[in-house]
Amino acid sequence: MSQFYLPTKVVFGKDCLKEFGGLITGFGKKALIVTGKSSAEKSGALSDLKEQLKKYNLSWHHYSDVEENPTLSIIKKGAEAFKEQECDFFVGIGGGSPIDAAKAMSALAANDMTIREIYNPNNIKKAYHIVAIPTTSGTGSEVTQYSVITDTENKKKAGFGSPLLFPKLSFLDPKYTLTLPLRGTRDTAIDALSHLLEGVYSKDRSPMLTPYIYRGVKLILDNLPKVQKEHLNYEIRENLQLASLYGGIVIAQTGTTLQHSIGYPLTTHHNLSHGEANGVVMKDIMELYTPAISKYLDDLFEGVGITKTEFFSWLEQWDFAPGLNLKEEFIIKSSEETMKSRNIALTPVSVTANDIQEILRKISR
Ligand code: NAP
Ligand code: ZN
């Protein structure tokens, strides 16, 4: 038995913000626009949004300090700015980092809690409305209830989720991803691929998601190599954004497994982007899971029209994390840390710290 819950209104397509900007009314009078340093401007999304806010007599304050892998201290500052500026809803523009940050700020601003208590979903009893405008094609955060935040003091990256954190409204305009550099395009698409695979891996897998998963995987396998040669091709960007949306829809239902949590320490300690951290372990994770889910994997590859061997050689072309050198001390420590993550519960095989260590030793060059 499985459930499907997606309370986000999703508007998809070129110039969708211009055409459906009126949907943004009704959430409040003043938005805290949460962005990174420059992608919101570069992509054109920020000016499109401001035009609509003006048109509907809404005001805003722009908080542009969110960096990749947002930290607890940024969340605290953003929540304070929200209150000081008397805002009443959030708009997150950017990759997963600003969108996740807007969700976390919303939770912190709405509930009486200390910053670290945010990781416990039971503390999130209310939230301000969130509108999401992605400029990458990867995280699917625009349709998920999750936020992934880094605790720099404890050098720990962890996610949390609450149904209250689903964005109320998301505008997906693939043209905003045209400015994303090739490296970021690759890494975010690999993140989307990992979400689609999580739909096969997770113990909460559901037959309702099969069309999204198979179509999404196919779109990435076909379009990621193409975009390397034609990065300004709108259609290719549209295909990647659709795949990313499908990936978000999938993990919103199934959650994620060790495929994701094993990568968090690689990001916090070795600076791998979230997508690359997923990519570098993808083959070994699939092999670890295969004995338990071979039927589901056979179905996936048949549905997508390739063999597992072909999939592995497709992966190889991306040469993830060349020169990654993991010290034995890191391998032991991070395997113990990873064993504590929530994602372990949904992993289709019973994992030990030893399994994690073996994978980390394999990817270390
Ligand atoms: P990101 O960290 O938001 O952004 C990465 C970089 O790309 C930044 O330098 C950003 O610039 C730049 N960028 C973004 N869009 C651009 C554009 N259109 N043109 C030019 N540059 C652009 O990347 P992300 O991979 O989308 O998000 C990763 C985060 O999301 C991680 O923290 C990950 O754990 C989380 N995540 C969340 C979920 C979820 O369900 N909530 C799922 C998976 C991953 P600026 O700094 O100027 O913005
Ligand atoms: Zn991810």
Side-chain angles (χ1 to χ4, degrees), residues 69-105:
N69 307 302
T71 59
L72 288 175
S73 70
I74 287 292
I75 302 311
K76 198 160 173 254
K77 284 184 195 146
E80 281 162 9
F82 180 84
K83 287 183 181 165
E84 276 162 22
Q85 295 291 327
E86 299 182 338
C87 298
D88 46 13
F89 70 110
F90 286 87
V91 182
I93 307 180
S97 296
I99 297 175
D100 281 9
K103 292 176 180 176
M105 288 169 192

PDB file of all heavy atoms in Angstrom, residues 69-105:
ATOM      1  N   ASN A  69      24.946  24.810   0.208  1.00  0.00           N
ATOM      2  CA  ASN A  69      24.840  24.066   1.462  1.00  0.00           C
ATOM      3  C   ASN A  69      24.591  25.027   2.632  1.00  0.00           C
ATOM      4  O   ASN A  69      25.466  25.255   3.463  1.00  0.00           O
ATOM      5  CB  ASN A  69      26.090  23.209   1.714  1.00  0.00           C
ATOM      6  CG  ASN A  69      26.395  22.326   0.527  1.00  0.00           C
ATOM      7  OD1 ASN A  69      25.562  21.522   0.128  1.00  0.00           O
ATOM      8  ND2 ASN A  69      27.558  22.514  -0.073  1.00  0.00           N
ATOM      9  N   PRO A  70      23.404  25.601   2.694  1.00  0.00           N
ATOM     10  CA  PRO A  70      23.105  26.640   3.694  1.00  0.00           C
ATOM     11  C   PRO A  70      23.320  26.167   5.130  1.00  0.00           C
ATOM     12  O   PRO A  70      23.104  24.994   5.445  1.00  0.00           O
ATOM     13  CB  PRO A  70      21.627  26.962   3.436  1.00  0.00           C
ATOM     14  CG  PRO A  70      21.101  25.860   2.597  1.00  0.00           C
ATOM     15  CD  PRO A  70      22.248  25.284   1.847  1.00  0.00           C
ATOM     16  N   THR A  71      23.743  27.120   5.958  1.00  0.00           N
ATOM     17  CA  THR A  71      24.108  26.781   7.339  1.00  0.00           C
ATOM     18  C   THR A  71      23.037  27.267   8.319  1.00  0.00           C
ATOM     19  O   THR A  71      22.238  28.151   8.000  1.00  0.00           O
ATOM     20  CB  THR A  71      25.425  27.482   7.698  1.00  0.00           C
ATOM     21  OG1 THR A  71      25.223  28.893   7.541  1.00  0.00           O
ATOM     22  CG2 THR A  71      26.560  27.041   6.791  1.00  0.00           C
ATOM     23  N   LEU A  72      23.108  26.719   9.512  1.00  0.00           N
ATOM     24  CA  LEU A  72      22.161  27.117  10.563  1.00  0.00           C
ATOM     25  C   LEU A  72      22.228  28.615  10.822  1.00  0.00           C
ATOM     26  O   LEU A  72      21.212  29.265  11.041  1.00  0.00           O
ATOM     27  CB  LEU A  72      22.473  26.358  11.860  1.00  0.00           C
ATOM     28  CG  LEU A  72      22.121  24.860  11.880  1.00  0.00           C
ATOM     29  CD1 LEU A  72      22.602  24.231  13.184  1.00  0.00           C
ATOM     30  CD2 LEU A  72      20.624  24.631  11.706  1.00  0.00           C
ATOM     31  N   SER A  73      23.460  29.187  10.783  1.00  0.00           N
ATOM     32  CA  SER A  73      23.555  30.610  11.129  1.00  0.00           C
ATOM     33  C   SER A  73      22.881  31.485  10.061  1.00  0.00           C
ATOM     34  O   SER A  73      22.265  32.503  10.382  1.00  0.00           O
ATOM     35  CB  SER A  73      25.003  31.030  11.391  1.00  0.00           C
ATOM     36  OG  SER A  73      25.714  31.027  10.208  1.00  0.00           O
ATOM     37  N   ILE A  74      22.959  31.065   8.806  1.00  0.00           N
ATOM     38  CA  ILE A  74      22.262  31.812   7.739  1.00  0.00           C
ATOM     39  C   ILE A  74      20.744  31.723   7.934  1.00  0.00           C
ATOM     40  O   ILE A  74      20.008  32.701   7.732  1.00  0.00           O
ATOM     41  CB  ILE A  74      22.672  31.260   6.345  1.00  0.00           C
ATOM     42  CG1 ILE A  74      24.096  31.688   5.997  1.00  0.00           C
ATOM     43  CG2 ILE A  74      21.699  31.654   5.253  1.00  0.00           C
ATOM     44  CD1 ILE A  74      24.255  33.173   5.759  1.00  0.00           C
ATOM     45  N   ILE A  75      20.298  30.558   8.347  1.00  0.00           N
ATOM     46  CA  ILE A  75      18.850  30.372   8.561  1.00  0.00           C
ATOM     47  C   ILE A  75      18.368  31.314   9.666  1.00  0.00           C
ATOM     48  O   ILE A  75      17.321  31.956   9.557  1.00  0.00           O
ATOM     49  CB  ILE A  75      18.535  28.895   8.943  1.00  0.00           C
ATOM     50  CG1 ILE A  75      19.025  27.938   7.845  1.00  0.00           C
ATOM     51  CG2 ILE A  75      17.056  28.692   9.243  1.00  0.00           C
ATOM     52  CD1 ILE A  75      18.628  28.273   6.445  1.00  0.00           C
ATOM     53  N   LYS A  76      19.183  31.396  10.719  1.00  0.00           N
ATOM     54  CA  LYS A  76      18.815  32.253  11.858  1.00  0.00           C
ATOM     55  C   LYS A  76      18.748  33.718  11.409  1.00  0.00           C
ATOM     56  O   LYS A  76      17.778  34.429  11.699  1.00  0.00           O
ATOM     57  CB  LYS A  76      19.876  32.077  12.948  1.00  0.00           C
ATOM     58  CG  LYS A  76      19.439  32.531  14.284  1.00  0.00           C
ATOM     59  CD  LYS A  76      20.301  31.888  15.372  1.00  0.00           C
ATOM     60  CE  LYS A  76      19.961  32.493  16.710  1.00  0.00           C
ATOM     61  NZ  LYS A  76      20.955  33.403  17.203  1.00  0.00           N
ATOM     62  N   LYS A  77      19.763  34.140  10.651  1.00  0.00           N
ATOM     63  CA  LYS A  77      19.783  35.542  10.196  1.00  0.00           C
ATOM     64  C   LYS A  77      18.593  35.830   9.282  1.00  0.00           C
ATOM     65  O   LYS A  77      17.974  36.894   9.354  1.00  0.00           O
ATOM     66  CB  LYS A  77      21.088  35.842   9.453  1.00  0.00           C
ATOM     67  CG  LYS A  77      22.261  35.996  10.400  1.00  0.00           C
ATOM     68  CD  LYS A  77      23.517  36.380   9.641  1.00  0.00           C
ATOM     69  CE  LYS A  77      24.734  36.163  10.515  1.00  0.00           C
ATOM     70  NZ  LYS A  77      25.913  35.743   9.770  1.00  0.00           N
ATOM     71  N   GLY A  78      18.291  34.891   8.404  1.00  0.00           N
ATOM     72  CA  GLY A  78      17.174  35.083   7.467  1.00  0.00           C
ATOM     73  C   GLY A  78      15.843  35.170   8.213  1.00  0.00           C
ATOM     74  O   GLY A  78      14.993  36.011   7.889  1.00  0.00           O
ATOM     75  N   ALA A  79      15.674  34.311   9.218  1.00  0.00           N
ATOM     76  CA  ALA A  79      14.417  34.328   9.993  1.00  0.00           C
ATOM     77  C   ALA A  79      14.300  35.647  10.742  1.00  0.00           C
ATOM     78  O   ALA A  79      13.199  36.224  10.862  1.00  0.00           O
ATOM     79  CB  ALA A  79      14.363  33.139  10.947  1.00  0.00           C
ATOM     80  N   GLU A  80      15.440  36.167  11.227  1.00  0.00           N
ATOM     81  CA  GLU A  80      15.423  37.469  11.923  1.00  0.00           C
ATOM     82  C   GLU A  80      15.048  38.591  10.945  1.00  0.00           C
ATOM     83  O   GLU A  80      14.236  39.458  11.255  1.00  0.00           O
ATOM     84  CB  GLU A  80      16.789  37.753  12.562  1.00  0.00           C
ATOM     85  CG  GLU A  80      16.968  36.997  13.875  1.00  0.00           C
ATOM     86  CD  GLU A  80      18.428  36.883  14.320  1.00  0.00           C
ATOM     87  OE1 GLU A  80      19.319  37.541  13.715  1.00  0.00           O
ATOM     88  OE2 GLU A  80      18.663  36.100  15.258  1.00  0.00           O
ATOM     89  N   ALA A  81      15.649  38.543   9.755  1.00  0.00           N
ATOM     90  CA  ALA A  81      15.342  39.568   8.740  1.00  0.00           C
ATOM     91  C   ALA A  81      13.850  39.530   8.388  1.00  0.00           C
ATOM     92  O   ALA A  81      13.211  40.579   8.219  1.00  0.00           O
ATOM     93  CB  ALA A  81      16.181  39.332   7.485  1.00  0.00           C
ATOM     94  N   PHE A  82      13.304  38.334   8.288  1.00  0.00           N
ATOM     95  CA  PHE A  82      11.874  38.166   7.967  1.00  0.00           C
ATOM     96  C   PHE A  82      11.008  38.920   8.983  1.00  0.00           C
ATOM     97  O   PHE A  82      10.068  39.619   8.618  1.00  0.00           O
ATOM     98  CB  PHE A  82      11.553  36.666   7.983  1.00  0.00           C
ATOM     99  CG  PHE A  82      10.127  36.311   7.686  1.00  0.00           C
ATOM    100  CD1 PHE A  82       9.685  36.196   6.367  1.00  0.00           C
ATOM    101  CD2 PHE A  82       9.215  36.063   8.708  1.00  0.00           C
ATOM    102  CE1 PHE A  82       8.369  35.840   6.078  1.00  0.00           C
ATOM    103  CE2 PHE A  82       7.899  35.715   8.433  1.00  0.00           C
ATOM    104  CZ  PHE A  82       7.480  35.603   7.118  1.00  0.00           C
ATOM    105  N   LYS A  83      11.394  38.756  10.267  1.00  0.00           N
ATOM    106  CA  LYS A  83      10.590  39.415  11.326  1.00  0.00           C
ATOM    107  C   LYS A  83      10.839  40.924  11.343  1.00  0.00           C
ATOM    108  O   LYS A  83       9.891  41.707  11.388  1.00  0.00           O
ATOM    109  CB  LYS A  83      10.936  38.809  12.677  1.00  0.00           C
ATOM    110  CG  LYS A  83      10.348  37.405  12.824  1.00  0.00           C
ATOM    111  CD  LYS A  83      10.629  36.837  14.198  1.00  0.00           C
ATOM    112  CE  LYS A  83      10.058  35.442  14.312  1.00  0.00           C
ATOM    113  NZ  LYS A  83      10.580  34.706  15.442  1.00  0.00           N
ATOM    114  N   GLU A  84      12.124  41.309  11.300  1.00  0.00           N
ATOM    115  CA  GLU A  84      12.452  42.751  11.336  1.00  0.00           C
ATOM    116  C   GLU A  84      11.777  43.498  10.194  1.00  0.00           C
ATOM    117  O   GLU A  84      11.328  44.628  10.346  1.00  0.00           O
ATOM    118  CB  GLU A  84      13.965  42.949  11.205  1.00  0.00           C
ATOM    119  CG  GLU A  84      14.709  42.821  12.526  1.00  0.00           C
ATOM    120  CD  GLU A  84      16.193  42.576  12.295  1.00  0.00           C
ATOM    121  OE1 GLU A  84      16.699  42.910  11.199  1.00  0.00           O
ATOM    122  OE2 GLU A  84      16.828  42.020  13.213  1.00  0.00           O
ATOM    123  N   GLN A  85      11.769  42.884   9.033  1.00  0.00           N
ATOM    124  CA  GLN A  85      11.215  43.549   7.848  1.00  0.00           C
ATOM    125  C   GLN A  85       9.704  43.398   7.725  1.00  0.00           C
ATOM    126  O   GLN A  85       9.106  43.806   6.740  1.00  0.00           O
ATOM    127  CB  GLN A  85      11.875  42.969   6.577  1.00  0.00           C
ATOM    128  CG  GLN A  85      13.364  43.254   6.473  1.00  0.00           C
ATOM    129  CD  GLN A  85      13.645  44.724   6.228  1.00  0.00           C
ATOM    130  OE1 GLN A  85      12.875  45.412   5.564  1.00  0.00           O
ATOM    131  NE2 GLN A  85      14.742  45.218   6.780  1.00  0.00           N
ATOM    132  N   GLU A  86       9.119  42.733   8.721  1.00  0.00           N
ATOM    133  CA  GLU A  86       7.665  42.508   8.758  1.00  0.00           C
ATOM    134  C   GLU A  86       7.143  41.856   7.483  1.00  0.00           C
ATOM    135  O   GLU A  86       6.155  42.299   6.876  1.00  0.00           O
ATOM    136  CB  GLU A  86       6.937  43.825   9.065  1.00  0.00           C
ATOM    137  CG  GLU A  86       7.357  44.376  10.415  1.00  0.00           C
ATOM    138  CD  GLU A  86       6.637  45.648  10.809  1.00  0.00           C
ATOM    139  OE1 GLU A  86       6.119  46.343   9.903  1.00  0.00           O
ATOM    140  OE2 GLU A  86       6.588  45.935  11.998  1.00  0.00           O
ATOM    141  N   CYS A  87       7.847  40.828   7.059  1.00  0.00           N
ATOM    142  CA  CYS A  87       7.400  40.058   5.882  1.00  0.00           C
ATOM    143  C   CYS A  87       6.350  39.048   6.343  1.00  0.00           C
ATOM    144  O   CYS A  87       6.241  38.751   7.536  1.00  0.00           O
ATOM    145  CB  CYS A  87       8.571  39.310   5.259  1.00  0.00           C
ATOM    146  SG  CYS A  87       9.849  40.407   4.651  1.00  0.00           S
ATOM    147  N   ASP A  88       5.573  38.523   5.394  1.00  0.00           N
ATOM    148  CA  ASP A  88       4.605  37.509   5.810  1.00  0.00           C
ATOM    149  C   ASP A  88       4.568  36.276   4.907  1.00  0.00           C
ATOM    150  O   ASP A  88       3.748  35.387   5.112  1.00  0.00           O
ATOM    151  CB  ASP A  88       3.202  38.103   6.017  1.00  0.00           C
ATOM    152  CG  ASP A  88       2.788  39.029   4.898  1.00  0.00           C
ATOM    153  OD1 ASP A  88       3.461  39.036   3.853  1.00  0.00           O
ATOM    154  OD2 ASP A  88       1.778  39.748   5.073  1.00  0.00           O
ATOM    155  N   PHE A  89       5.447  36.212   3.902  1.00  0.00           N
ATOM    156  CA  PHE A  89       5.643  34.943   3.173  1.00  0.00           C
ATOM    157  C   PHE A  89       7.034  34.925   2.557  1.00  0.00           C
ATOM    158  O   PHE A  89       7.733  35.941   2.541  1.00  0.00           O
ATOM    159  CB  PHE A  89       4.544  34.683   2.138  1.00  0.00           C
ATOM    160  CG  PHE A  89       4.533  35.574   0.920  1.00  0.00           C
ATOM    161  CD1 PHE A  89       4.878  35.065  -0.338  1.00  0.00           C
ATOM    162  CD2 PHE A  89       4.135  36.909   0.995  1.00  0.00           C
ATOM    163  CE1 PHE A  89       4.843  35.858  -1.474  1.00  0.00           C
ATOM    164  CE2 PHE A  89       4.099  37.721  -0.143  1.00  0.00           C
ATOM    165  CZ  PHE A  89       4.455  37.199  -1.376  1.00  0.00           C
ATOM    166  N   PHE A  90       7.425  33.733   2.097  1.00  0.00           N
ATOM    167  CA  PHE A  90       8.773  33.555   1.551  1.00  0.00           C
ATOM    168  C   PHE A  90       8.721  33.236   0.059  1.00  0.00           C
ATOM    169  O   PHE A  90       7.828  32.515  -0.389  1.00  0.00           O
ATOM    170  CB  PHE A  90       9.466  32.366   2.225  1.00  0.00           C
ATOM    171  CG  PHE A  90       9.923  32.629   3.623  1.00  0.00           C
ATOM    172  CD1 PHE A  90       9.059  32.421   4.706  1.00  0.00           C
ATOM    173  CD2 PHE A  90      11.208  33.082   3.883  1.00  0.00           C
ATOM    174  CE1 PHE A  90       9.479  32.664   6.004  1.00  0.00           C
ATOM    175  CE2 PHE A  90      11.636  33.333   5.179  1.00  0.00           C
ATOM    176  CZ  PHE A  90      10.770  33.125   6.239  1.00  0.00           C
ATOM    177  N   VAL A  91       9.709  33.759  -0.679  1.00  0.00           N
ATOM    178  CA  VAL A  91       9.927  33.274  -2.045  1.00  0.00           C
ATOM    179  C   VAL A  91      11.397  32.855  -2.130  1.00  0.00           C
ATOM    180  O   VAL A  91      12.291  33.677  -1.902  1.00  0.00           O
ATOM    181  CB  VAL A  91       9.654  34.363  -3.116  1.00  0.00           C
ATOM    182  CG1 VAL A  91       9.843  33.771  -4.519  1.00  0.00           C
ATOM    183  CG2 VAL A  91       8.250  34.942  -2.983  1.00  0.00           C
ATOM    184  N   GLY A  92      11.641  31.609  -2.424  1.00  0.00           N
ATOM    185  CA  GLY A  92      13.015  31.124  -2.597  1.00  0.00           C
ATOM    186  C   GLY A  92      13.320  31.034  -4.079  1.00  0.00           C
ATOM    187  O   GLY A  92      12.581  30.394  -4.830  1.00  0.00           O
ATOM    188  N   ILE A  93      14.400  31.722  -4.511  1.00  0.00           N
ATOM    189  CA  ILE A  93      14.797  31.647  -5.927  1.00  0.00           C
ATOM    190  C   ILE A  93      16.208  31.103  -5.985  1.00  0.00           C
ATOM    191  O   ILE A  93      17.121  31.657  -5.357  1.00  0.00           O
ATOM    192  CB  ILE A  93      14.853  33.029  -6.621  1.00  0.00           C
ATOM    193  CG1 ILE A  93      13.554  33.811  -6.443  1.00  0.00           C
ATOM    194  CG2 ILE A  93      15.172  32.873  -8.112  1.00  0.00           C
ATOM    195  CD1 ILE A  93      13.583  35.189  -7.119  1.00  0.00           C
ATOM    196  N   GLY A  94      16.419  30.055  -6.769  1.00  0.00           N
ATOM    197  CA  GLY A  94      17.781  29.565  -6.954  1.00  0.00           C
ATOM    198  C   GLY A  94      17.810  28.065  -7.059  1.00  0.00           C
ATOM    199  O   GLY A  94      16.806  27.417  -7.376  1.00  0.00           O
ATOM    200  N   GLY A  95      18.962  27.541  -6.713  1.00  0.00           N
ATOM    201  CA  GLY A  95      19.069  26.104  -6.637  1.00  0.00           C
ATOM    202  C   GLY A  95      18.437  25.642  -5.335  1.00  0.00           C
ATOM    203  O   GLY A  95      17.736  26.406  -4.648  1.00  0.00           O
ATOM    204  N   GLY A  96      18.740  24.401  -4.995  1.00  0.00           N
ATOM    205  CA  GLY A  96      18.186  23.835  -3.764  1.00  0.00           C
ATOM    206  C   GLY A  96      18.603  24.619  -2.536  1.00  0.00           C
ATOM    207  O   GLY A  96      17.844  24.675  -1.551  1.00  0.00           O
ATOM    208  N   SER A  97      19.771  25.258  -2.583  1.00  0.00           N
ATOM    209  CA  SER A  97      20.248  25.934  -1.364  1.00  0.00           C
ATOM    210  C   SER A  97      19.313  27.066  -0.925  1.00  0.00           C
ATOM    211  O   SER A  97      18.822  27.053   0.208  1.00  0.00           O
ATOM    212  CB  SER A  97      21.689  26.420  -1.547  1.00  0.00           C
ATOM    213  OG  SER A  97      22.534  25.299  -1.733  1.00  0.00           O
ATOM    214  N   PRO A  98      19.023  28.069  -1.784  1.00  0.00           N
ATOM    215  CA  PRO A  98      18.083  29.107  -1.345  1.00  0.00           C
ATOM    216  C   PRO A  98      16.667  28.589  -1.087  1.00  0.00           C
ATOM    217  O   PRO A  98      15.986  29.089  -0.185  1.00  0.00           O
ATOM    218  CB  PRO A  98      18.091  30.115  -2.497  1.00  0.00           C
ATOM    219  CG  PRO A  98      19.343  29.856  -3.244  1.00  0.00           C
ATOM    220  CD  PRO A  98      19.638  28.403  -3.086  1.00  0.00           C
ATOM    221  N   ILE A  99      16.226  27.609  -1.856  1.00  0.00           N
ATOM    222  CA  ILE A  99      14.853  27.111  -1.641  1.00  0.00           C
ATOM    223  C   ILE A  99      14.779  26.370  -0.291  1.00  0.00           C
ATOM    224  O   ILE A  99      13.859  26.591   0.506  1.00  0.00           O
ATOM    225  CB  ILE A  99      14.376  26.247  -2.835  1.00  0.00           C
ATOM    226  CG1 ILE A  99      14.317  27.115  -4.100  1.00  0.00           C
ATOM    227  CG2 ILE A  99      13.001  25.636  -2.546  1.00  0.00           C
ATOM    228  CD1 ILE A  99      13.965  26.370  -5.384  1.00  0.00           C
ATOM    229  N   ASP A 100      15.782  25.524  -0.024  1.00  0.00           N
ATOM    230  CA  ASP A 100      15.824  24.851   1.290  1.00  0.00           C
ATOM    231  C   ASP A 100      15.943  25.875   2.412  1.00  0.00           C
ATOM    232  O   ASP A 100      15.352  25.724   3.481  1.00  0.00           O
ATOM    233  CB  ASP A 100      17.031  23.910   1.380  1.00  0.00           C
ATOM    234  CG  ASP A 100      16.788  22.587   0.662  1.00  0.00           C
ATOM    235  OD1 ASP A 100      15.768  22.466  -0.029  1.00  0.00           O
ATOM    236  OD2 ASP A 100      17.626  21.681   0.820  1.00  0.00           O
ATOM    237  N   ALA A 101      16.741  26.922   2.168  1.00  0.00           N
ATOM    238  CA  ALA A 101      16.937  27.946   3.203  1.00  0.00           C
ATOM    239  C   ALA A 101      15.607  28.643   3.496  1.00  0.00           C
ATOM    240  O   ALA A 101      15.255  28.872   4.660  1.00  0.00           O
ATOM    241  CB  ALA A 101      17.988  28.957   2.755  1.00  0.00           C
ATOM    242  N   ALA A 102      14.849  28.978   2.446  1.00  0.00           N
ATOM    243  CA  ALA A 102      13.546  29.633   2.650  1.00  0.00           C
ATOM    244  C   ALA A 102      12.630  28.739   3.494  1.00  0.00           C
ATOM    245  O   ALA A 102      11.921  29.219   4.394  1.00  0.00           O
ATOM    246  CB  ALA A 102      12.903  29.947   1.298  1.00  0.00           C
ATOM    247  N   LYS A 103      12.680  27.418   3.242  1.00  0.00           N
ATOM    248  CA  LYS A 103      11.829  26.508   4.025  1.00  0.00           C
ATOM    249  C   LYS A 103      12.247  26.515   5.500  1.00  0.00           C
ATOM    250  O   LYS A 103      11.406  26.597   6.402  1.00  0.00           O
ATOM    251  CB  LYS A 103      11.963  25.073   3.488  1.00  0.00           C
ATOM    252  CG  LYS A 103      11.374  24.855   2.110  1.00  0.00           C
ATOM    253  CD  LYS A 103      11.666  23.418   1.670  1.00  0.00           C
ATOM    254  CE  LYS A 103      11.120  23.099   0.315  1.00  0.00           C
ATOM    255  NZ  LYS A 103      11.498  21.743  -0.134  1.00  0.00           N
ATOM    256  N   ALA A 104      13.560  26.427   5.717  1.00  0.00           N
ATOM    257  CA  ALA A 104      14.046  26.377   7.104  1.00  0.00           C
ATOM    258  C   ALA A 104      13.756  27.695   7.823  1.00  0.00           C
ATOM    259  O   ALA A 104      13.363  27.710   8.989  1.00  0.00           O
ATOM    260  CB  ALA A 104      15.542  26.065   7.113  1.00  0.00           C
ATOM    261  N   MET A 105      13.933  28.817   7.106  1.00  0.00           N
ATOM    262  CA  MET A 105      13.643  30.125   7.716  1.00  0.00           C
ATOM    263  C   MET A 105      12.167  30.211   8.071  1.00  0.00           C
ATOM    264  O   MET A 105      11.792  30.757   9.122  1.00  0.00           O
ATOM    265  CB  MET A 105      14.002  31.262   6.746  1.00  0.00           C
ATOM    266  CG  MET A 105      15.495  31.458   6.567  1.00  0.00           C
ATOM    267  SD  MET A 105      15.780  32.587   5.176  1.00  0.00           S
ATOM    268  CE  MET A 105      17.539  32.391   4.936  1.00  0.00           C
TER     269      MET A 105
END
